Amino acid sequence: MKQTSDSNLFILRAIDFAARKHRDQRRKDEESSPYINHPISVSLSLAEIGGVRDPETLAAAILHDTLEDTVTTPDELEATFGRRVRRIVEEVTDDKSLPKAERKRLQIEHARSLSPEAVLIKLGDKIANVLDVTHSPPADWSLERRKEYLDWAETVIKNCPQTNTALESHFNQVLKEGRRKLLSL
Ligand code: NDP
Ligand code: ZN
């Protein structure tokens, strides 16, 4: 994947694939925003804030919720995007057969052994979700639950190996602003 045009095509295919897979899904905010805006924003943060240019990492960011939230198999990802993308997406996918509380505990525990590419996606995902919890939270969440989410996201990111200073600083910034806003409500 050395030529720019090949990279562009690869990323466009990832956007097309994710958009089809998430087509009937909405985020949990009051307006039920289209789901696809979330993975696109994660990938954009990696590129714009983190300076990430690796097409496979950017594609994995776009695809990061397909295994967890849609009818997509790891083999399907590998057939379309290759083994490396499959592995990165698998690394950031929770085991949905486990209870929610256990999944959240495991995210904290597994953070320390993530690959650098998976850490980048964790950072982008938590930046997007902390912004959402701050500005467009799930419709039925109490203030307490929103605060707890910020605390949990901070713990997950603290346990990740240091990988990208710009994304880490940005995460800390949105976390600080989120806490300030929630305290003022
Ligand atoms: P969820 O994991 O159910 O929801 C958060 C996830 O939803 C995010 O990580 C994000 O994941 C996705 N999401 C979709 N839309 C939005 C949005 N607008 N804003 C933010 N996130 C969005 O919730 P919790 O993190 O609270 O985890 C559930 C846990 O909370 C359980 O352990 C349960 O026992 C506990 N709980 C706590 C309560 C409380 O009041 N504290 C009440 C009830 C349960 P993604 O990026 O993958 O899409
Ligand atoms: Zn996500």
Side-chain angles (χ1 to χ4, degrees):
M1 207 170 312
K2 288 175 191 66
Q3 290 174 0
T4 310
S5 58
D6 289 349
S7 307
N8 290 344
L9 192 56
F10 192 75
I11 291 168
L12 286 170
R13 283 199 181 119
I15 296 171
D16 179 64
F17 184 99
R20 288 169 194 276
K21 292 291 187 177
H22 289 297
R23 69 179 184 271
D24 295 325
Q25 294 175 332
R26 295 288 181 273
R27 300 290 284 171
K28 298 172 182 168
D29 59 300
E30 206 136 327
E31 293 182 352
S32 300
S33 313
Y35 199 95
I36 191 62
N37 290 92
H38 165 71
I40 290 174
S41 112
V42 171
S43 187
L44 199 58
S45 289
L46 263 54
E48 285 188 326
I49 302 163
V52 176
R53 291 292 178 266
D54 171 39
E56 290 178 323
T57 304
L58 295 175
I62 292 161
L63 298 162
H64 81 271
D65 278 329
T66 55
L67 292 180
E68 199 168 296
D69 295 330
T70 77
V71 188
T72 302
T73 64
D75 284 345
E76 197 180 353
L77 284 184
E78 182 164 342
T80 317
F81 301 103
R83 192 173 163 75
R84 183 165 170 245
V85 169
R86 171 204 174 134
R87 296 297 286 269
I88 300 169
V89 177
E90 281 183 315
E91 270 191 90
V92 297
T93 299
D94 287 354
D95 179 348
K96 274 207 153 171
S97 68
L98 298 172
K100 266 262 175 77
E102 176 68 355
R103 282 157 55 187
K104 294 187 77 83
R105 192 189 67 75
L106 284 175
Q107 273 207 38
I108 294 171
E109 197 178 302
H110 291 160
R112 66 184 94 252
S113 51
L114 291 175
S115 69
E117 294 84 355
V119 172
L120 293 171
I121 294 171
K122 277 281 166 199
L123 279 161
D125 197 30
K126 294 300 184 262
I127 287 168
N129 285 337
V130 167
L131 285 170
D132 280 351
V133 166
T134 303
H135 301 290
S136 46
D140 57 345
W141 281 26
S142 67
L143 190 55
E144 201 49 40
R145 186 161 180 188
R146 292 163 71 188
K147 287 178 181 167
E148 279 175 20
Y149 188 93
L150 266 48
D151 291 344
W152 169 75
E154 180 180 37
T155 309
V156 173
I157 294 304
K158 270 193 179 149
N159 273 8
C160 290
Q162 288 196 348
T163 305
N164 185 300
T165 310
L167 282 170
E168 283 150 18
S169 305
H170 192 72
F171 173 77
N172 288 328
Q173 185 66 26
V174 298
L175 186 68
K176 196 167 132 190
E177 285 166 8
R179 286 200 171 119
R180 193 182 303 143
K181 167 148 187 210
L182 295 190
L183 277 175
S184 75
L185 295 176

